[in-house]
Structures are given as structure tokens and as C-alpha cells.
Amino acid sequence: MLAETIAVLRHVVLFAFKEDASAETVEAVVAGFAALPDAISEINGYEWGTNVSPEGLNDGFTHCFTLTFASAESRDAYLNHPAHVAFVKSLGQCLERSLVLDYWARLPAGPVEEQAVINATVS
């Protein structure tokens, strides 16, 4: 039986691009990030999007990427994986700044979350 809550490690990355970054450059960064889950098996979940908040509090950050890991060790393997290291090096001139935050998400145990945990352990 699973516990009442399930914890997964979320890795949130925010990007603020330089004003002179072309649309093609930004698209290449998004595509490069999207390629990481296929290259790095420790990534259990990936999603991304652009800021749509009407509050105006994004402080120049426009793109958000969220990755999910089963453990801190999986996250650390991702951070040191050659595909991730190469991706980070490719960002060079186009980013104004980035922000990274990791947290343990506490999910209520239910059929969807339990299946996600089971899938993560067998994939």
C-alpha cells in the first residue's frame, strides 16, 4: 500500500532571453530543452510553457520548464549528464538570466499518482 502522499522532485527552470535574441534562437533553445527527456532516462516528466500571467510579476522571465525526478540522485544524474551539460553550454549568448528552483512536490495518493510512481519505477 502506498503512503497517503507521494513525493516527486520538481526541477523548475525559468529563462529570460536577451532582447536581441531572435525568435529562431529562442525556438532552438526550446527544442534543445525538449530533446533532453529522450536523451536522459532519469527524467520522469517534462513540460514547458511561456508566461501568460496578467499580474506582470515575471521580472523578465518568459519561459518555464519543469522536469520531474523520482529522487535527488536522478536529478543529480541529469545535472551531470553530457546532454544536459552540452545544452547549458549552448545557451551562452542568448540568455539574459535564468532561475532554477527544486522542490519536493507532495501529491495526494490516488490512482493517477500511484500509476505515475509505478511507471517511473519500471521505465
Side-chain angles (χ1 to χ4, degrees):
M1 173 178 251
L2 294 174
E4 288 187 24
T5 60
I6 299 166
V8 294
L9 185 58
R10 301 273 198 236
H11 178 74
V12 180
V13 180
L14 302 175
F15 285 163
F17 290 93
K18 292 183 177 180
E19 285 188 35
D20 63 351
S22 69
E24 293 80 16
T25 299
V26 172
E27 288 174 16
V29 168
V30 170
F33 216 141
L36 293 179
D38 288 335
I40 305 172
S41 63
E42 288 83 3
I43 298 172
N44 290 343
Y46 169 82
E47 62 186 53
W48 77 278
T50 57
N51 179 50
V52 295
S53 174
E55 295 176 290
L57 300 174
N58 59 304
D59 197 24
F61 292 101
T62 57
H63 289 66
C64 179
F65 304 86
T66 303
L67 293 87
T68 302
F69 299 94
S71 67
E73 294 79 15
S74 293
R75 185 259 336 263
D76 295 347
Y78 153 80
L79 291 174
N80 294 303
H81 192 282
H84 176 256
V85 172
F87 172 71
V88 170
K89 287 181 181 177
S90 77
L91 299 173
Q93 302 292 334
C94 66
L95 283 187
E96 183 69 34
R97 59 200 171 113
S98 61
L99 175 71
V100 178
L101 180 105
D102 292 356
Y103 69 95
W104 286 100
R106 311 280 182 218
L107 306 173
V112 172
E113 293 78 17
E114 289 176 6
Q115 189 62 51
V117 170
I118 291 166
N119 291 343
T121 60
V122 295
S123 61

